[in-house]
Amino acid sequence: MMTATQRMAALAVALLSSQHRAITSAFAPLPSRPITKLVAHGGGTRQRMVVVPDVANAIESSTQTLSFLNNLNESILAMDQSAAEQLAGPFFGASLFPYLAFLFFLNVPQNETPKGVTVGFATCLLFVFLTIPAAIAAKVWYDVSLADSDWLHGSAESLLTVTNLVTVVAFRQALGYKEQEQSGNLNVNIPESVVSYDPMVKLVGGLTVLAFLTALFPALAGAQVHTPYLEGFMDIPASQLPWTATHPDPENSLTIACWIIHITSLVEFLVAMGFCWRWADVTDNPRWKGLTWGLIPLHSSGITACTYHLFYNSIPVLVPLQAFLTFMGNTTAMYAAYRIAISNGWSVPWGEIPFLNAIDDDSDMDAGLIREDSQSLVGFEDLGDALAEDNDYTFIVKLFAGCAVASYVVKYGEVWFDFPFQHELNVALAFIFIPSLLNAFKWYKRSQDPTFEGWF
């Protein structure tokens, strides 16, 4: 019996063979044909052979090309969950190694990275390794992917929220201390999370136990495949909704609590990217802005995951796309952390790494720019600035409250539209790459003009 990968390979070969002419014609010169034309010459006329474009053949070639692209789109959409997971597996597995290198470079003593920030980024490994048994349980117990079992999915994904939350809180504490110190306040106490791993390790431990309990209790109670995460306590029962939407809510849709986890993770990550940018200013090392750039593919990976759920997990090809973006993001983050370490005087103990040593002069990374503050808030990454007067607790409450509002809008708003139920890959890619490109362009503009804030 053919495996899922072999079936996909056979389908691809058949598709490419049948559409070879369409591909060739797409890149061939415009078809033409000779015609005879009478032209004036002196006192008479004579015949001249001229070549004109063959419009009919050109239209036929264009039609074949469009047909090929349509068939390719259909073949990608035909990829089943098993084939998608097999394709994604190598990327997810390989992404572990650059992430370990990222953590190593980030934590070299010369960087003086706040210890709590290192703990936050390292907690992502906890999320990765504890997600594996949750995915196995979903497959063994229910024969579905982890994304289709809300209670397992929410419990596992909550660890990613923990990762980003710890990173943001630790960065926030360190930035507050540094900025007060630079303003001349010599009486400010240095936060323990800046010089010690212990506070954030304890926070991670407590939140991990809580996440484990949210999975343990349903498992002991005999949870079914679509048992809602946290019993769906934040969801509005269908019988109490004051409207009838265009489409019913599918049984594998995310609960409000699960959506909050996903949206909060995205927003927290943007805030962390903004904190990296600010850390470059307070440490007078523009290489930290390079880490913001390096984290962009990872944020796009998170957008891909949310888009996958927005379409009710019906476009499996988004799974390997997310895996590829994760691998790419871990690699760019590793390179950015390496550049930070080198700029702070760290040297490679085992000799030079040629392909990593092509580092340009600091002047291209805003070294000559003066940071200017703006009173308006436009970007999510500026939440750290906007809520600077809040303590850690009120900051977290406001962050989660805003994400809860967004979660209600997404869950109860998308059922009024047709696109989440039509499985259009092009629409899904637009949801992923338009925000990603705007995010990248926003940071580019900020590197040119420190007063530019962006759109989100």
Side-chain angles (χ1 to χ4, degrees):
M1 180 178 293
M2 296 177 67
T3 65
T5 303
Q6 290 171 330
R7 290 196 302 272
M8 287 302 301
L11 176 61
V13 170
L15 176 65
L16 292 175
S17 298
S18 65
Q19 297 298 331
H20 174 72
R21 182 184 175 192
I23 301 175
T24 304
S25 63
F27 296 96
L30 189 65
S32 60
R33 57 186 175 87
I35 66 169
T36 301
K37 182 179 180 181
L38 294 177
V39 296
H41 181 72
T45 61
R46 71 175 182 180
Q47 292 183 340
R48 188 175 71 180
M49 192 73 69
V50 296
V51 178
V52 299
D54 190 340
V55 177
N57 284 340
I59 293 175
E60 180 184 358
S61 298
S62 299
T63 303
Q64 290 174 345
T65 303
L66 291 175
S67 176
F68 164 75
L69 294 175
N70 183 61
N71 290 338
L72 181 62
N73 182 60
E74 290 179 358
S75 69
I76 292 175
L77 288 175
M79 179 184 293
D80 60 23
Q81 191 68 38
S82 177
E85 291 175 355
Q86 288 183 27
L87 185 58
F91 286 113
F92 278 131
S95 67
L96 175 64
F97 300 103
Y99 197 78
L100 291 173
F102 159 69
L103 292 175
F104 172 80
F105 291 134
L106 186 71
N107 199 42
V108 298
Q110 290 84 346
N111 287 344
E112 298 183 351
T113 304
K115 303 300 184 184
V117 172
T118 302
V119 172
F121 280 117
T123 304
C124 187
L125 297 175
L126 187 66
F127 158 70
V128 170
F129 289 119
L130 293 183
T131 296
I132 294 174
I136 293 174
K139 195 67 177 177
V140 172
W141 293 346
Y142 309 124
D143 195 27
V144 298
S145 68
L146 178 60
D148 286 317
S149 182
D150 194 71
W151 69 277
L152 280 169
H153 183 206
S155 298
E157 289 291 331
S158 64
L159 294 171
L160 183 58
T161 301
V162 170
T163 294
N164 296 338
L165 179 65
V166 170
T167 304
V168 165
V169 170
F171 240 144
R172 187 173 186 268
Q173 293 177 352
L175 278 166
Y177 165 72
K178 279 283 189 180
E179 289 171 345
Q180 287 191 54
E181 185 182 50
Q182 291 181 358
S183 67
N185 185 357
L186 301 180
N187 296 322
V188 60
N189 295 323
I190 185 169
E192 191 178 356
S193 64
V194 173
V195 296
S196 172
Y197 300 112
D198 191 56
M200 293 304 162
V201 168
K202 290 179 179 177
L203 178 60
V204 168
L207 294 176
T208 301
V209 170
L210 185 62
F212 174 73
L213 292 176
T214 63
L216 178 63
F217 288 137
L220 295 177
Q224 301 302 307
V225 58
H226 295 305
T227 295
Y229 175 57
L230 299 181
E231 294 298 326
F233 79 100
M234 299 182 72
D235 290 12
I236 304 174
S239 60
Q240 297 182 15
L241 291 173
W243 59 75
T244 301
T246 306
H247 300 275
D249 196 30
E251 60 182 359
N252 70 334
S253 65
L254 270 60
T255 54
I256 290 294
C258 203
W259 267 121
I260 290 175
I261 286 173
H262 284 77
I263 295 176
T264 301
S265 294
L266 283 181
V267 174
E268 287 171 342
F269 204 78
L270 273 177
V271 174
M273 292 168 69
F275 282 164
C276 288
W277 200 269
R278 285 174 57 191
W279 192 251
D281 294 321
V282 300
T283 60
D284 197 27
N285 185 351
R287 294 299 176 202
W288 278 95
K289 295 182 180 180
L291 183 54
T292 297
W293 283 102
L295 295 175
I296 287 177
L298 287 174
H299 189 257
S300 298
S301 174
I303 295 175
T304 304
C306 289
T307 301
Y308 181 59
H309 302 319
L310 185 71
F311 285 79
Y312 302 108
N313 312 332
S314 62
I315 308 180
V317 72
L318 296 183
V319 177
L321 175 59
Q322 182 197 2
F324 172 74
L325 289 171
T326 299
F327 172 76
M328 185 169 68
N330 287 354
T331 303
T332 53
M334 173 201 70
Y335 180 55
Y338 171 82
R339 297 173 80 236
I340 294 171
I342 293 295
S343 70
N344 285 322
W346 178 81
S347 59
V348 183
W350 53 85
E352 291 188 355
I353 308 177
F355 69 95
L356 290 180
N357 283 343
I359 300 179
D360 51 357
D361 187 76
D362 284 348
S363 60
D364 69 340
M365 291 289 293
D366 313 317
L369 294 177
I370 300 175
R371 185 176 185 272
E372 299 179 33
D373 294 322
S374 173
Q375 297 301 315
S376 60
L377 170 67
V378 180
F380 282 124
E381 69 280 354
D382 294 312
L383 285 173
D385 286 329
L387 302 179
E389 300 302 320
D390 290 82
N391 59 40
D392 290 337
Y393 301 105
T394 57
F395 173 81
I396 293 171
V397 168
K398 290 180 179 180
L399 179 66
F400 274 82
C403 292
V405 172
S407 298
Y408 278 100
V409 171
V410 172
K411 179 173 177 63
Y412 295 110
E414 66 171 327
V415 291
W416 290 89
F417 298 92
D418 293 330
F419 71 86
F421 303 88
Q422 294 174 337
H423 323 312
E424 288 287 343
L425 178 60
N426 294 336
V427 177
L429 294 178
F431 270 94
I432 296 167
F433 288 109
I434 290 177
S436 297
L437 291 172
L438 289 174
N439 191 25
F441 184 69
K442 169 184 61 185
W443 294 112
Y444 167 75
K445 290 289 290 182
R446 281 195 173 187
S447 67
Q448 305 300 312
D449 177 11
T451 64
F452 179 78
E453 293 189 325
W455 312 275
F456 63 93

